[in-house]
């Protein structure tokens, strides 16, 4: 049988029973801060480790073949468990929840989960910002049901407009037109603030940067260019395949003048650039692009994101090699909500992760670090 590559779980069980039983019994509603003074604001929940694409930078076919041992259904957090744990995160300061995967739209009845999450409120009584990252392949059929269930907005991944390039990159021969149909369906369904993520790999799709920009300019959809990252342990990452955000902006400027914009929120991962009019000023009607420079410009300093894997492991960094097992607490009838919240509080308060900063100190061509890193398809982007 094929060796399983992921998940990577902390078998030391950091939340051993002794600790769990000593946790307080009243539900805290407080802002928690980690050891580098970063608040907890953003929770990314992976709802499946499966995907119908085989993007080489994420789930290369040679590793994620037909006999790859995905998680059994019983390992997955069910919708009530996800909602329960999300409620505790919100009590500790989370304002935004992003569903991801694998491909989140492969999870059956996802609208049910969305409707449960949409009912949650912050301690101040506000709704949370509920969003999703998807490859868009199933969006055309599902957009209106997702919107009706409470999804606020969506990010669709699309790496090229040219069909041959895109089919090569998703490696399952999936055509661009169906993703574009999905984006259109999302717009028609009333999902706002739609974004498109394009991972740029030197030698693979950099010639698609300008066509993608031309296509989405003036549509109200923000295109974001993501540097190819050294996530996981299976994509064979090399620094010389990274096209830096600075190069992307330079290339765009040769045809489409841009002006830099202020970040829209603290902890924002993308640097924003607005299309300029003939007078060289930002023209909101033309819209904006974003660049996410995870490799060349570390943004750990205000990283406020926690990640929950499909089976309930909490990861404090995209590049972590170990998670914290929340499922054992969720499935222990002796554990109250308050104890669960206190456990999350204790974990976040001890957080010191800043992988990208440390990598830039180590030097440009190193994707190493302690331990084997978890896969992106397991904890989501
Ligand atoms: N399947 C969904 C999708 O593709 O949108 C959601 C999960 S995917 C892991 C989340 C995001 O991570 C996508 O936008 C994808 O392009 C990005 N991603 C995956 N591997 C990456 C890598 N090695 N470098 C940069 N971005 C990556
Ligand atoms: Fe699937 Fe998304 Fe990974 Fe591509 S990036 S293989 S669509 S999970
Ligand atoms: Fe956050 Fe880790 Fe990325 Fe730094 S490397 S920004 S800590 S997820």
């Amino acid at each position: 049988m094929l060796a399983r590559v992921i998940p990577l779980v902390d078998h030391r069980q950091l939340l051993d029973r002794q600790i769990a039983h000593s946790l307080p019994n009243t539900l805290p509603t407080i802002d928690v801060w980690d050891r580098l003074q970063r608040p907890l604001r953003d929770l990314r929940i992976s709802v499946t480790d499966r995907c119908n694409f085989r993007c080489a930078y994420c789930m290369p076919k040679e590793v994620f073949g037909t006999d790859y041992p995905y998680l059994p259904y019983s390992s997955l957090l069910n919708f009530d468990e996800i909602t329960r744990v999300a409620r505790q995160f919100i009590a500790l300061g989370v304002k935004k929840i992003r569903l991801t995967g694998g491909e989140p739209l492969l999870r059956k009845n996802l609208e049910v989960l969305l409707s449960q999450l949409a009912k949650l409120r912050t301690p101040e009584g506000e709704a949370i910002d509920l969003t999703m990252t998807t490859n868009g392949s199933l969006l055309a059929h599902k957009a209106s049901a997702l919107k009706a269930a409470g999804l606020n907005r969506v990010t669709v991944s699309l790496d090229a407009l040219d069909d041959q390039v895109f089919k090569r990159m998703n490696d399952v021969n999936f055509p661009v037109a169906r993703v574009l149909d999905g984006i259109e369906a999302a717009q028609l369904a009333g999902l706002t603030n739609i974004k498109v993520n394009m991972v740029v790999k030197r030698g693979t799709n950099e010639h698609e940067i300008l066509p993608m920009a031309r296509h989405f300019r003036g549509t109200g959809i923000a295109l974001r260019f993501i540097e190819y990252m050294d996530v996981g342990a299976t994509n064979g990452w090399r620094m010389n395949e990274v096209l830096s955000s600075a190069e992307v902006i330079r290339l765009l400027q040769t045809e489409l003048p841009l002006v830099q914009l202020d970040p829209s929120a603290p902890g924002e991962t993308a640097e924003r650039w607005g299309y300029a009019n003939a007078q060289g000023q930002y023209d909101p009607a033309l819209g904006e692009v974003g660049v996410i420079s995870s490799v060349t410009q570390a943004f750990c300093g205000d990283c406020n994101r926690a990640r929950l894997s499909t089976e309930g492991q909490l990861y404090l960094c995209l590049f972590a090699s170990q998670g914290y097992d929340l499922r054992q607490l969720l499935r222990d009838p002796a554990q109250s909500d308050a104890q669960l919240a206190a456990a999350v509080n204790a974990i976040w308060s001890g957080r010191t992760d800043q992988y990208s900063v440390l990598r830039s100190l180590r030097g440009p061509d190193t994707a190493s670090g302690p331990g084997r890193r978890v896969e992106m398809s397991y904890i989501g982007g």
Side-chain angles (χ1 to χ4, degrees), residues 176-188:
V176 173
R178 284 174 61 193
V179 180
L180 295 178
D181 288 349
I183 294 171
E184 196 186 333
Q187 285 180 302
L188 290 173

Side-chain angles (χ1 to χ4, degrees), residues 159-162 165-166 168-169 198-214 223 225-226 228 240-244 247-252 254:
D159 295 331
L161 270 189
D162 179 278
V165 177
F166 184 58
R168 251 198 322 276
M169 288 186 79
M198 170 177 177
V199 175
V200 183
K201 237 178 129 176
R202 192 191 292 279
T204 303
N205 65 340
E206 75 261 47
H207 51 289
E208 287 292 300
I209 292 171
L210 277 167
M212 286 281 284
R214 286 182 209 119
L223 174 61
F225 300 95
I226 306 181
Y228 170 40
N240 61 14
E241 288 179 315
V242 177
L243 191 86
S244 72
E247 289 173 272
V248 170
I249 294 295
R250 260 199 306 277
L251 177 65
L252 290 172
T254 60

Side-chain angles (χ1 to χ4, degrees), residues 51 53 55 57-58 99-104 133-136 155-157 159 197-199 226-231 235 237 376-377 380-381:
C51 188
F53 284 11
C55 312
Y57 53 70
C58 179
L99 299 187
T100 177
E103 173 44 41
T133 306
T134 169
N135 63 24
T155 299
V156 180
S157 303
D159 295 331
N197 276 356
M198 170 177 177
V199 175
I226 306 181
E227 287 178 354
Y228 170 40
M229 286 187 283
D230 49 326
V231 279
N235 65 11
W237 182 88
M376 187 90 148
S377 55

Side-chain angles (χ1 to χ4, degrees), residues 45-49 99-104 133 376-381:
I45 303 175
S46 172
V47 292
T48 177
D49 60 337
L99 299 187
T100 177
E103 173 44 41
T133 306
M376 187 90 148
S377 55
Y378 174 68
I379 50 167

